[in-house]
Amino acid sequence: MYDYCLSADATTVIQADMTDPRDVLAHPEVNRLIDFDQPVAALFLPVAHSIADDEQVRRMLAATADALAPGSFLAIPQFVGVDRETADAHTKKATDLGLVWKTRTVEDFEPPRP
């Protein structure tokens, strides 16, 4: 059983661009707290729909997944439309409200197949 609590020794806050996970993963404070040779959970909650560039999201998630040890988890919620028209309509509503937003289809969000 783990006995962790939120304390100065067990928590940190860093400033980094989440779309460039190499900087996040290389940060000394992150490495002080997390052993990436062991399974961990990387949680992007909820951010993918707040990045409009599909390639930027793919690169961010791929670089993070590549850095994780076997047995790790990567959680990525994403608003999806049942089809392109629905996704585009939802994106338009959100951006009309001033949000940086991208509702994707399931196909948009699937990882590329080798």
Side-chain angles (χ1 to χ4, degrees), residues 16-25 42-68 74-78 104 109:
D17 180 352
M18 71 180 170
T19 64
D20 187 1
R22 290 174 299 258
D23 284 347
V24 175
L25 297 169
L43 312 175
F44 288 88
L45 307 176
V47 297
H49 51 267
S50 297
I51 302 169
D53 184 321
D54 292 334
E55 282 305 310
Q56 192 173 31
V57 171
R58 284 188 190 98
R59 284 190 308 269
M60 174 183 76
L61 299 177
T64 302
D66 288 347
L68 301 179
L74 181 59
I76 316 148
Q78 168 67 53
R104 294 174 171 87
F109 204 66

Side-chain angles (χ1 to χ4, degrees), residues 11-42:
T11 59
T12 192
V13 175
I14 66 167
Q15 287 187 318
D17 180 352
M18 71 180 170
T19 64
D20 187 1
R22 290 174 299 258
D23 284 347
V24 175
L25 297 169
H27 195 284
E29 280 296 294
V30 171
N31 284 284
R32 177 180 68 83
L33 293 173
I34 301 171
D35 179 357
F36 287 101
D37 291 330
Q38 300 295 317
V40 298

Side-chain angles (χ1 to χ4, degrees), residues 65-84:
D66 288 347
L68 301 179
S72 294
F73 291 91
L74 181 59
I76 316 148
Q78 168 67 53
F79 283 89
V80 295
V82 295
D83 55 37
R84 171 67 53 213

